[in-house]
Amino acid sequence: MPKIVDREEMQLGILDAAQRVYLDKGYHSATIADVADAAGVAKGTIYLYYKNKESLAEAMMHNHFGGMQDRFFGGGQPATLDAFAKSLNKTMKLPNGDARYIRLFFEVFGEKFTSDEFMKNFGGFFERLGDQYASYIAHLQD
């Protein structure tokens, strides 16, 4: 009987392994085989989920910013200016794991800042964040 695999769980496990490997070896020195070893899967398994190292890195970005978006936008409308300030402070503090991600982010994506497609995806997050905060401020002004 074939083993049933939760696709989303497998993808997240691979992304976690890739992040650990990239932090340890550096993005450019790491290989798909390194990621597979860290994830405890065969190299071919990685290719079932990700086309290449670049698509794996892009998935890492989407996963990372998706988590940030959940953290930033999950609190609802603040009732007071003080609550808004506390919310800003809370969302802008990086969890310990995210602080290490900053170096990785620039190593992996630094050269992509010249790409229009990358900037569209990356900039979209900050546009949504700005829109959300503008909504909060408008709500508080009312």
Side-chain angles (χ1 to χ4, degrees), residues 61-92:
M61 180 192 73
H62 288 289
N63 184 59
H64 179 73
F65 279 102
M68 287 177 70
Q69 185 168 315
D70 292 345
R71 193 172 79 234
F72 286 5
F73 302 150
Q77 293 279 2
T80 66
L81 186 57
D82 187 49
F84 177 61
K86 285 180 183 178
S87 171
L88 277 175
N89 189 35
K90 179 182 173 188
T91 58
M92 293 302 156

Side-chain angles (χ1 to χ4, degrees), residues 84-140:
F84 177 61
K86 285 180 183 178
S87 171
L88 277 175
N89 189 35
K90 179 182 173 188
T91 58
M92 293 302 156
K93 284 186 180 179
L94 288 174
N96 290 339
D98 286 357
R100 291 187 67 202
Y101 191 84
I102 292 170
R103 178 183 61 83
L104 176 63
F105 177 83
F106 285 104
E107 180 181 342
V108 173
F109 299 113
E111 62 199 43
K112 294 182 187 245
F113 282 100
T114 59
S115 160
D116 290 339
E117 182 66 25
F118 179 81
M119 289 307 294
K120 178 181 170 189
N121 289 328
F122 180 70
F125 169 78
F126 290 101
E127 283 181 33
R128 290 187 301 278
L129 182 62
D131 290 346
Q132 186 69 35
Y133 287 149
S135 168
Y136 289 169
I137 293 167
H139 168 77
L140 289 170

